[in-house]
Amino acid sequence: AYRISPKTFLFWLFFSIVLAVLPSIALVYNRNAVSVLSEFLATGQGSFLDVVKPLCILGFILILTGFSQRINGGFLYVMMYDDFYFGVQEYYMDCIQKVDIRTLMDKEFYDDYCYCVGRSGSLTDLMSNGCVALMKSVSAISLISVAFTVSVPIGLIAIVCFVLCVTLNLRVSSKYVWNN
């Protein structure tokens, strides 16, 4: 993927990680905004502008978090389709131009070639689903780290829940694996 389209590969890798930590950042800013607002309401000290700034930052982060929830495997597949699907096709064309014409007429070679061409979408599948898996993993790890900042027992419970979810997911999804 990096050899075919380094810009697309690096952009979506970076963008996926940044979007994955937004829920954790929102939780931290939410705690900050609530504490500033509570202090302002309880003591009456400071100005309303001191309260507005953290609330605006929190609102902006929540908007970005809502946007990040719209990025799923289907969206990423469409965004990566041109670069990776057609990139693999171009790679196949470059390789096939180096093959002797007699070899191209060989049925066994042609069958193998058709099989490979039919699988050219696999890289796009791998990259889009890999970015989604990366987003979910980074998001879970960042949320667990925020849970630890709140309370160690809550962080431990979050880790246990995470491990149980991953274990159950692997067991259930292994039944759906299609082997060629």
Side-chain angles (χ1 to χ4, degrees), residues 81 108-110 123 136 168:
Y81 184 83
E108 188 174 319
F109 178 85
Y110 186 74
L123 180 62
K136 292 192 182 295
L168 288 174

Side-chain angles (χ1 to χ4, degrees), residues 3-4 87-101 103-104 109 113 116-117:
R3 193 172 354 137
I4 290 174
V88 170
Q89 293 278 343
E90 289 173 13
Y91 176 76
Y92 287 151
M93 285 187 267
D94 291 341
C95 291
I96 212 69
Q97 288 179 4
K98 298 173 185 169
V99 176
D100 182 45
I101 190 74
T103 306
L104 291 174
F109 178 85
Y113 171 75
C116 291
V117 168

Side-chain angles (χ1 to χ4, degrees), residues 116-174:
C116 291
V117 168
R119 304 288 297 165
S120 57
S122 297
L123 180 62
T124 309
D125 291 335
L126 175 70
M127 293 307 302
S128 61
N129 292 326
C131 282
V132 169
L134 177 69
M135 285 173 66
K136 292 192 182 295
S137 300
V138 169
S139 181
I141 291 168
S142 65
L143 288 171
I144 288 171
S145 63
V146 169
F148 269 109
T149 65
V150 172
S151 167
V152 173
I154 291 175
L156 292 173
I157 291 169
I159 286 178
V160 169
C161 288
F162 178 73
V163 169
L164 282 173
C165 286
V166 169
T167 304
L168 288 174
N169 191 351
L170 290 174
R171 284 190 178 179
V172 170
S173 65
S174 67

Side-chain angles (χ1 to χ4, degrees), residues 15-16 45 53 55 57 63 71 95 97 100 116-117 137 153:
F15 198 60
S16 297
Q45 293 180 342
K53 183 180 175 186
L55 289 176
I57 291 172
I63 288 170
I71 296 182
C95 291
Q97 288 179 4
D100 182 45
C116 291
V117 168
S137 300

